[in-house]
Amino acid sequence: MLKKLFTSESVTEGHPDKMCDQISDAILDEILKKDPNAHVACEVSASTGLIHIMGEITTNCYIDMEKEVRKVINKIGYDNSLYGFNGNTCGIIVSINSQSPDIAMGVDCSLEKKMGDKNEESNIGAGDQGMMFGFACDETPEFMPLPISLAHKLTKRLSQVRKEKILDYLRPDGKSQVTVEYIDDKPARVDTVVVSAQHREDVPLDKIQKDILENVIKHVIPENMMGENTKVFINPTGRFVIGGPAGDTGLTGRKIIVDTYGGYAKHGGGAFSGKDPTKVDRSAAYMARYIAKNVVASGFAKKCEVQLAYAIGVSNPVSVRVDTFGTSNIPENKLEKAVCKVFDMRPSAIIEKFGLKEPIYFKLASYGHMGREDLNVGWEKLDKVNELKNVLNSL
């Protein structure tokens, strides 16, 4: 038997980086409600008592950014100065420019359209160059790797017991980490669980550890996956009172591995939050996940990783790569041909397919963008399984 360990982490809404992601996507949503064709690249940083909004936004509408920022922070739970940050009183700086016209000329009209391609109905080019990865595997019902799936469930539960006052001494900041032991490439047991939760100063550590073990960890981790050899660390430093932006500076896009597959699959490097869907960092990553999930759901592979690559201003991807890690009997070049026949990977087609001009992004900014069947997002649907099978049979 070949044994291996793999670890993934997740963070709660109150983590300073995740707070910035949520603010960026809340601003994007508010703009898209009024101007679906806006070009948005919104970055946020957070430090003690201060939020700084930066980026390039081209739109024909007005939104009250300060109002949106305060609404998000208060919704997260930072509505009291005793928590180290207060959305009602924090300072807010706005530094926004319009999108560069050099970029806009490539996004607004694709190279194919400029060259007179009569088959090119789209006039949208990719918003930047770059490569994006999507992944799926058969380890969980949502076709996600087990470590990141469990890590997200722990942080969701941590927020739930705080908001529902099951553990009323908890504060918004928190993290989880899960190590899974694999035997012959299959998840066998949970080796290690780490949970760190911000808390009220007067609560003793032994109470926090007991409460989180019973109300969070045992609530989430399947009983058959834990045993006497499973290591559990709860607030291992012994104290976590100072959290959020008071404890660490936050920045949009600094949790891209949490947003995707927990490090189990490759990442192209581009963040998602605060970007409108012409930015293929976001939209093409969703498409790559959609492709990989449908390939695995079709039974053609147990694991599938899809890479898409784009050139700025060009509509069609410059490369498509499918990797099944030796888990498929179908040659990968044949799978790639089928994928190119079944899936339209142009930015305009992705935007239309998934409804990406709708204000759907704030809810995605916490607990991952992939595997979110709870949000009914388009890239999690399995509506290409039969078409993939039919095309592969015809090749």
Side-chain angles (χ1 to χ4, degrees):
M1 294 188 297
L2 179 62
K3 295 184 178 182
K4 293 183 178 180
L5 299 176
F6 193 87
T7 303
S8 294
E9 73 162 350
S10 179
V11 298
T12 64
E13 298 122 280
H15 185 280
D17 293 329
K18 266 289 146 233
M19 196 169 101
C20 293
D21 287 341
Q22 290 167 90
I23 293 170
S24 292
D25 274 335
I27 290 171
L28 172 63
D29 279 352
E30 285 304 304
I31 292 173
L32 291 178
K33 287 177 185 177
K34 299 180 179 181
D35 180 10
N37 295 312
H39 290 166
V40 180
C42 180
E43 311 268 354
V44 175
S45 67
S47 59
T48 304
L50 182 65
I51 298 292
H52 190 179
I53 307 168
M54 304 158 281
E56 297 79 43
I57 298 176
T58 301
T59 180
N60 59 21
C61 74
Y62 169 80
I63 67 162
D64 188 337
M65 289 194 182
E66 181 176 327
K67 178 182 176 181
E68 290 307 312
V69 170
R70 297 193 189 282
K71 184 166 70 174
V72 170
I73 296 170
N74 288 329
K75 183 175 182 179
I76 290 169
Y78 289 118
D79 55 0
N80 190 319
S81 297
L82 294 175
Y83 304 164
F85 202 91
N86 189 341
N88 299 304
T89 59
C90 66
I92 299 173
I93 299 172
V94 179
S95 305
I96 296 293
N97 297 312
S98 60
Q99 185 182 61
S100 162
D102 294 346
I103 296 174
M105 67 186 292
V107 176
D108 294 339
C109 185
S110 68
L111 180 66
E112 292 93 331
K113 192 77 173 179
K114 291 173 183 174
M115 297 295 289
D117 185 348
K118 295 181 180 179
N119 296 319
E120 180 55 49
E121 298 175 359
S122 165
N123 64 347
I124 298 176
D128 202 352
Q129 70 175 46
M131 64 283 188
M132 301 82 211
F133 289 92
F135 180 80
C137 63
D138 62 359
E139 292 180 12
T140 61
E142 68 272 25
F143 295 89
M144 288 289 285
L146 184 60
I148 189 65
S149 178
L150 291 176
H152 282 322
K153 288 176 181 177
L154 285 171
T155 50
K156 280 185 182 179
R157 178 63 180 172
L158 198 59
S159 289
Q160 182 184 8
V161 298
R162 171 179 63 87
K163 292 175 181 178
E164 295 181 2
K165 300 189 183 305
I166 296 170
L167 303 179
D168 61 359
Y169 56 80
L170 292 182
R171 299 297 184 243
D173 200 354
K175 302 176 79 171
S176 72
Q177 186 172 283
V178 177
T179 302
V180 173
E181 181 182 74
Y182 287 77
I183 298 178
D184 293 336
D185 215 27
K186 295 180 180 179
R189 56 180 287 272
V190 172
D191 181 81
T192 308
V193 178
V194 183
V195 174
S196 295
Q198 185 188 12
H199 58 89
R200 200 173 65 222
E201 187 171 12
D202 61 341
V203 185
L205 178 61
D206 58 349
K207 176 174 174 56
I208 295 169
Q209 291 175 331
K210 180 182 177 182
D211 286 349
I212 289 178
L213 178 63
E214 294 298 323
N215 293 281
V216 178
I217 295 174
K218 289 185 177 180
H219 187 88
V220 168
I221 307 294
E223 189 176 353
N224 65 337
M225 293 294 286
M226 290 187 70
E228 60 181 18
N229 294 324
T230 299
K231 299 179 286 294
V232 176
F233 300 97
I234 300 170
N235 283 15
T237 67
R239 175 185 167 94
F240 188 2
V241 173
I242 300 172
D248 192 10
T249 300
L251 186 65
T252 299
R254 203 155 55 183
K255 284 289 174 282
I256 57 177
I257 298 303
V258 173
D259 287 340
T260 51
Y261 309 100
Y264 200 98
K266 299 184 187 74
H267 196 293
F272 300 156
S273 290
K275 295 179 180 178
D276 76 82
T278 65
K279 279 74 171 175
V280 282
D281 281 339
R282 175 168 229 158
S283 52
Y286 295 160
M287 174 55 75
R289 161 66 177 172
Y290 178 57
I291 296 168
K293 186 174 182 180
N294 276 268
V295 168
V296 174
S298 301
F300 298 133
K302 291 183 174 295
K303 295 180 183 180
C304 181
E305 184 180 79
V306 174
Q307 186 200 50
L308 306 178
Y310 291 82
I312 186 169
V314 180
S315 183
N316 290 285
V318 297
S319 73
V320 178
R321 167 77 172 131
V322 176
D323 188 349
T324 58
F325 307 94
T327 66
S328 176
N329 294 323
I330 300 171
E332 287 171 350
N333 63 340
K334 188 175 180 181
L335 274 173
E336 288 165 4
K337 289 179 182 178
V339 162
C340 290
K341 284 182 174 290
V342 171
F343 298 92
D344 191 339
M345 294 165 276
R346 298 172 302 160
S348 58
I350 298 171
I351 291 168
E352 182 179 357
K353 174 69 179 175
F354 299 148
L356 297 183
K357 289 185 178 181
E358 298 296 318
I360 62 172
Y361 299 106
F362 173 74
K363 291 181 180 180
L364 289 163
S366 300
Y367 312 116
H369 294 242
M370 312 304 174
R372 298 304 302 274
E373 294 178 349
D374 58 315
L375 298 180
N376 197 35
V377 290
W379 53 95
E380 295 299 322
K381 296 187 184 300
L382 299 175
D383 54 1
K384 293 293 186 180
V385 169
N386 291 332
E387 190 175 350
L388 262 175
K389 290 178 178 178
N390 291 336
V391 169
L392 271 169
N393 288 333
S394 68
L395 292 176

